[in-house]
Amino acid sequence: MTVIADLDIARLDFWERPAAERAEAFAWLRRQERPVFFSQPKVPLARSGRGFYAAVRHTDVVEASRNAAVFANSPAVTNPEPPKWVKHIYGDSLENMDAPEHTRLRRIVSRAFAPRMMQRLEGLMQRRAETAVAELAKAGPGDFVELVAQTFTTHVVCDLLGIPEEHREKVLGWVRDTVEYQAVRSDPKGMLRHAVRNTRATFGLRNLVIGLGKERRREPGDDVISALANADVNGERLTGTELGAFFLLLVVAGIDTPGHTLSHAVTLLSEHPEQRELLLSDYDAHISGAVDEIVRYASPITQLQRTVVAEHELRGQPLVPGDKVVMFYNSANRDEQVFTDPDVFDITRGPNPHVSFGGPGAHYCLGAHLAKRELTVLLRELYTRLPGLRLAAPPVPMVSTFNNAVRRLPVTF
């Protein structure tokens, strides 16, 4: 098969192939006795590596997620890794840390998702959904990504954090720039242009929250920035740099990933009208299963990396300290050994042990509950107000080695 003959999932051009070809390639990789090794291509403005082993089976991903004694998040979970100087300028992200530092910071920042915070957000989220869908209805057919997904998730995260309205357009622009940079380009000039915009956006986001953190220490409010800026857990507090780094992670992950997931939801429910009818026949009974199936089927985050820190054997493959293992969530979520008819979109699927929120273990996504509520609230409002919503043209994907992103989604109703 041609798709297998020149198979190289480390290269950007592999991710430009049709989805069916990529799925076939990962199915072939899952059938191999051991994880396959891929050499690391040179990418502008990234740290070069010697390559990685592809964890493509569900069991591979679960083991690498749970076994922190062997598979470390440090120095970075993205592949390719950013240069070392990035951490010195922006601070280190929670997702790139291991215990005990990860334990300490997670204990503090988990306050952002405490029940009280989520309860406070619920009413605001409903109003944001109503406004976003009303704007779409007023605008008429258009791009769902721009008109609904990005604006809705931006406002939800900004409401949670306590970012004033006057800053939100800037926040959305900065997030868009960081997302564009995540779509790794093979063109050095394009990479440089995106890197400059990404740097400007990252500094803007970081400086905004550090400034707001200082204000909220003097005059706390009922929001996450106030809670984190004044948090004192066993005498431990977040520094300004730590607050800024967490904000970068939360803003991009809380706006970008749920936004793309909403676009995938609309796509899947349009392409599978029988599943949409089933969902709408009893929304409360089916929405939880629908959300899980959407994130399994779409796998919004494609991959994350782990660094081996102790000798180990992964499905017969010997690993030594320094080796890299990349977990492919899109492949694990289609593993035939775990999911019956994995290529079928079925909102009644159960059990559904997908790994779309980072798999089990200490690094399970803190914002998983928030993301699920965003989908639940927005989809209810969307199909209540616009039951005839459907695709006007195929989605326009963003070619990326990191996430399954949607650049544009033309819809009509």
Side-chain angles (χ1 to χ4, degrees):
M1 264 183 307
T2 355
V3 69
I4 304 306
D6 58 349
L7 173 61
D8 190 351
I9 61 177
R11 292 178 57 85
L12 183 67
D13 53 14
F14 169 80
W15 300 94
E16 295 173 334
R17 295 184 179 190
E21 280 190 24
R22 286 183 275 127
E24 184 185 3
F26 278 106
W28 181 85
L29 286 171
R30 288 193 298 274
R31 291 194 296 270
Q32 303 314 297
E33 185 180 350
R34 296 181 175 187
V36 176
F37 182 83
F38 292 91
S39 298
Q40 193 74 54
K42 289 184 179 178
V43 177
L45 302 177
R47 198 190 312 180
S48 58
R50 58 187 181 187
F52 61 85
Y53 291 96
V56 293
R57 292 187 187 177
H58 191 274
T59 54
D60 297 341
V61 171
V62 169
E63 182 178 353
S65 301
R66 281 182 171 157
N67 194 347
V70 172
F71 301 99
N73 284 46
S74 176
V77 297
T78 52
N79 178 274
E81 295 176 15
K84 291 182 178 179
W85 53 262
V86 169
K87 292 184 182 181
H88 297 294
I89 295 179
Y90 303 126
D92 204 359
S93 175
L94 182 66
E95 61 182 357
N96 294 330
M97 295 179 182
D98 300 296
E101 190 62 13
H102 172 263
T103 309
R104 168 190 165 263
L105 284 179
R106 189 178 174 103
R107 186 167 59 244
I108 297 174
V109 300
S110 63
R111 294 187 170 200
F113 305 99
R116 185 179 65 84
M117 290 294 183
M118 294 298 101
Q119 187 177 4
R120 167 186 164 273
L121 189 61
E122 192 71 23
L124 291 169
M125 194 185 300
Q126 178 60 42
R127 289 195 289 277
R128 296 300 182 186
E130 291 168 2
T131 301
V133 175
E135 287 298 319
L136 175 62
K138 181 181 174 184
D143 177 17
F144 181 81
V145 173
E146 181 182 0
L147 292 171
V148 179
Q150 286 185 339
T151 53
F152 171 67
T153 55
T154 296
H155 281 299
V156 168
V157 169
C158 288
D159 285 337
L160 174 68
L161 291 166
I163 296 175
E165 293 279 350
E166 62 266 24
H167 296 302
R168 298 192 182 188
E169 277 301 317
K170 288 189 299 184
V171 168
L172 181 55
W174 286 332
V175 169
R176 284 172 178 160
D177 285 342
T178 62
V179 171
E180 287 290 333
Y181 183 64
Q182 289 168 11
V184 178
R185 300 291 193 271
S186 52
D187 171 29
K189 289 183 181 177
M191 250 322 250
L192 182 59
R193 182 174 65 255
H194 286 298
V196 170
R197 292 171 62 182
N198 176 69
T199 301
R200 186 167 54 238
T202 305
F203 268 114
L205 290 165
R206 175 182 176 274
N207 292 340
L208 172 63
V209 75
I210 289 175
L212 289 173
K214 289 177 181 176
E215 290 178 14
R216 305 292 162 77
R217 283 194 179 102
R218 293 192 300 267
E219 297 179 28
D222 187 20
D223 55 67
V224 166
I225 293 180
S226 295
L228 297 184
N230 295 285
D232 190 330
V233 180
N234 298 327
E236 297 176 335
R237 299 182 69 173
L238 289 180
T239 65
T241 302
E242 288 171 339
L243 182 61
F246 174 68
F247 179 65
L248 291 175
L249 172 64
L250 181 60
V251 168
V252 177
I255 293 174
D256 178 46
T257 306
H260 293 309
T261 308
L262 283 167
S263 296
H264 286 299
V266 169
T267 301
L268 289 168
L269 293 171
S270 296
E271 292 175 342
H272 301 85
E274 77 291 348
Q275 295 292 302
R276 182 181 61 198
E277 292 308 312
L278 177 60
L279 171 62
L280 299 183
S281 69
D282 192 339
Y283 191 86
D284 290 331
H286 293 299
I287 186 57
S288 179
V291 167
D292 276 324
E293 181 66 349
I294 288 163
V295 296
R296 179 198 74 86
Y297 198 92
S299 296
I301 298 298
T302 306
Q303 56 158 287
L304 287 178
Q305 177 181 265
R306 295 292 186 266
T307 299
V308 177
V309 292
E311 288 189 6
H312 188 68
E313 196 172 278
L314 180 64
R315 197 157 43 89
Q317 175 59 51
L319 300 174
V320 298
D323 283 345
K324 305 292 181 180
V325 171
V326 174
M327 303 176 292
F328 286 91
Y329 301 113
N330 61 314
S331 179
N333 282 336
R334 299 290 181 98
D335 192 334
E336 305 83 352
Q337 301 300 313
V338 176
F339 302 97
T340 305
D341 298 325
D343 295 323
V344 172
F345 178 65
D346 177 11
I347 66 171
T348 65
R349 184 182 297 277
N352 191 347
H354 64 82
V355 288
S356 297
F357 291 113
H363 287 271
Y364 181 79
C365 178
L366 268 171
H369 176 70
L370 173 60
K372 288 182 177 185
R373 285 304 300 159
E374 286 181 282
L375 264 72
T376 300
V377 170
L378 194 281
L379 292 177
R380 184 195 298 273
E381 184 65 24
L382 189 65
Y383 288 108
T384 299
R385 178 80 184 265
L386 303 172
L389 182 78
R390 64 188 186 278
L391 299 187
V396 179
M398 177 185 291
V399 179
S400 170
T401 60
F402 172 71
N403 59 0
N404 184 14
V406 182
R407 190 184 294 277
R408 287 190 302 280
L409 185 68
V411 294
T412 188
F413 44 88

